[in-house]
Amino acid sequence: MGEPVAKPKPEAVKGKEAERIKREALGIGERRKHHAREATPLKGHAKEPDSHHRLYRFRFYPTAEQAGQLERTFGACRWVYNEGLALRSGAWEQHRVNVGFAETCRALTGWKRAEGTAWLKEVSSTVLQQALRHLDQGYTRFFKGLAQYPKRKKKGRSRDAAIYVRTGFRWVEDPERPGTGSVTLAKQSQPLDIRWSRALPAGVFPVRLSVTRDRAGRYFVSTLVEEQIAPLPAAFEPGSRAPKAVGLDLGIASLVTLDDGTKLDHPRLLKRYAEKLARLQRELHKKVRGSRNRDKVRQKIARLYALMGDVRRDMLDQFTTRLVRENQVLVVEDLSIVTLLRPARGKGRRRKAKLNQAIIDAGWGELLRQLRYKCKWYGRTLVIVDRFFPSTRRCSACHTKGPKMDVSVREWMCTECGVVHDRDVNAAVNLRDEGMRLYWLVAAGLPPGKKVPAVIKASELEKCLLAA
C-alpha cells in the first residue's frame, strides 16, 4: 500500500473575484468613504514615562429608562457579534473568501439600513463596532494558537458587556471633587448614578468605558485611564544592599506559604457556603422553568457566587499589595493550572474532583495575575521558576533531592542531613533560592543603567538575556 496522499490546503479567493463575492453573495457594501484619498499611516500614541493603563471599577444604579436602553445595547452587541461570526465563517466555508474587521463594519451599515434590523439604530454605532472588534481579536488569538475558535454568544450564558470609546460617552469632571464627575452614555439623556468609592486621577479624561452586568443583576462601569504610577522605593535586606526576596509556595492546605514560615489560610468559600448553595440548588430544581419564582432563586444563587468572588478578590488584592510593598523580588512556581484541573478517570476520580474544586476555590490564577501587573507598576521583579524544578523534594539545607511524596505528606526528614522539613516552607525556601539565582543571572547580563525586567520566566530566560 502506498503512503497516504496529503490533501492540498484550500487557497483563498483574492482580487476582483473576492470583491465580487463579497458584494453579490455576502451583501457587503463597497468601500465608498474616502475612496479616492490615499491612506496615511497611523501615528502611535507616545506614552509618557512610568505611565500605565489602569482600570477603575465602580458600581452604578441605572434608572428604569437607562436599564431598558442598556438591555437593548447588550442584546444588540450580542446579535452583532453572532452575525459577524456567521458572516466570516460562512464566507470562508462556502466561498473561500477572507472577511476582516473592515468588511464586517461595512456589513453592519447594511444591517442597520435593512427593515428587519433597523432596531440596531437605537444603539450607539461605536458600541456595535467594538463588538466586531472583539470578534476580530478572537480570530487573531485563534490564528496565533492562543485560543479556540470563537463561539456564539447566548443570552443568559455570556457576560453582558458594552464598550464605549471616547466618542461614545460624555465626561464632566466635578470641580469640587476632582477625579469624580458625571458620565453620560451615548443614546442616553441622564448621567449614570455612580458610587465613587475612590477618585480617578485629577484632570485625566477616561480612555474607555466598559459597562457590564453580572449574573446577580449588578451594574458596573469600568473606567480605563492612563496614569503615571511612581515606583516604590527599593526594598533591601536589613544591613545590606541585597534586594529583599520572598518565595511563595501555592498550595491547598494553606493558600500561600512564605519562606519565613508565614502562611495565608485557605478561605474555602465553596465549603463554607456549600450547605446554603445546595439548598438553593434544590429549590431551583423544583421550580417551573420560565417562572418568576425560578428566576428569584437563580438571583439568590448568583448573589451568593458574587459574594464569594468579591471576598476572594479582596483578600488576594490586600495580600498581594502587602507582598509587593515589602519585597523587591517575588518568586513563584510556573503552574499549569489547566493541566492541574484535568479530570481524572477510573479509580480516585472522586478525590481528584474534590482537589479540582479546592484549586478553583483558591484562585491561583487571579493571585498570579495581580502579582504580574503590580510588580510592573511598582518597580518590583516577579521571577517564575520552571514548573519541573523539584522545590518540594529538594532539601533546602543540603540540596539533596528526595523521593516523590504524596500530597497527604506534610512533613518529611532528609536522609542525608537529618533535617525535618515542613513541606510547604521547604518548597518556598527552595523557590526563593532558585529565583535569586535566576535574578542575578539576568542582572549580570544587563548593560549599565538598565533596570531588571518586571517578569523573569525561567522557560524564557534565553529570550530575556538576548533582549538585554
Side-chain angles (χ1 to χ4, degrees), residues 77-303:
C77 290
R78 186 169 55 248
W79 187 91
V80 168
Y81 182 95
N82 293 337
E83 199 70 15
L85 176 61
L87 177 65
R88 297 182 65 157
S89 300
W92 176 254
E93 293 175 358
Q94 300 175 13
H95 307 284
R96 290 294 182 261
V97 173
N98 290 318
V99 175
F101 170 71
E103 287 85 354
T104 53
C105 286
R106 296 204 298 270
L108 173 61
T109 304
W111 299 336
K112 295 172 71 174
R113 292 174 179 174
E115 183 178 356
T117 54
W119 49 270
L120 291 174
K121 296 179 181 179
E122 301 176 5
V123 181
S124 173
S125 59
T126 58
V127 177
L128 301 180
Q129 289 176 1
Q130 287 299 313
L132 294 176
R133 189 172 294 278
H134 287 169
L135 174 63
D136 187 65
Q137 293 172 356
Y139 271 100
T140 302
R141 289 192 296 268
F142 168 72
F143 290 128
K144 289 183 178 180
L146 303 176
Q148 296 181 352
Y149 192 80
K151 297 181 180 179
R152 290 178 57 86
K153 293 186 177 182
K154 298 181 180 179
K155 184 178 181 180
R157 295 289 183 179
S158 304
R159 190 178 68 131
D160 294 330
I163 308 298
Y164 293 82
V165 294
R166 286 189 174 183
T167 57
F169 64 92
R170 184 169 65 252
W171 161 260
V172 179
E173 188 171 6
D174 189 353
E176 298 181 358
R177 298 178 57 195
T180 64
S182 63
V183 176
T184 306
L185 302 177
K187 302 293 184 177
Q188 293 188 5
S189 57
Q190 298 179 358
L192 301 178
D193 183 14
I194 301 176
R195 299 294 188 264
W196 297 100
S197 55
R198 55 178 172 172
L200 301 176
V204 175
F205 193 90
V207 178
R208 189 180 65 200
L209 293 182
S210 176
V211 179
T212 58
R213 181 180 61 183
D214 62 7
R215 298 295 299 275
R218 303 180 301 177
Y219 289 85
F220 295 93
V221 55
S222 300
T223 308
L224 182 68
V225 298
E226 188 173 317
E227 180 181 357
Q228 285 189 338
I229 303 177
L232 294 172
F236 299 104
E237 293 288 349
S240 68
R241 299 295 295 176
K244 188 177 180 181
V246 61
L248 291 82
D249 179 66
L250 308 184
I252 299 298
S254 297
L255 182 59
V256 181
T257 303
L258 306 184
D259 55 62
D260 60 356
T262 305
K263 295 186 178 183
L264 177 66
D265 294 334
H266 196 300
R268 304 188 186 279
L269 296 171
L270 288 175
K271 185 177 180 180
R272 184 188 306 177
Y273 295 102
E275 293 184 3
K276 185 176 182 180
L277 188 61
R279 176 175 56 81
L280 291 175
Q281 293 284 6
R282 286 194 296 268
E283 290 184 15
L284 182 70
H285 182 71
K286 296 177 182 179
K287 304 301 179 183
V288 179
R289 287 184 176 272
S291 64
R292 296 188 63 180
N293 288 333
R294 182 183 176 88
D295 188 63
K296 290 178 182 178
V297 179
R298 188 196 61 79
Q299 286 281 345
K300 291 181 181 180
I301 296 175
R303 284 195 293 268

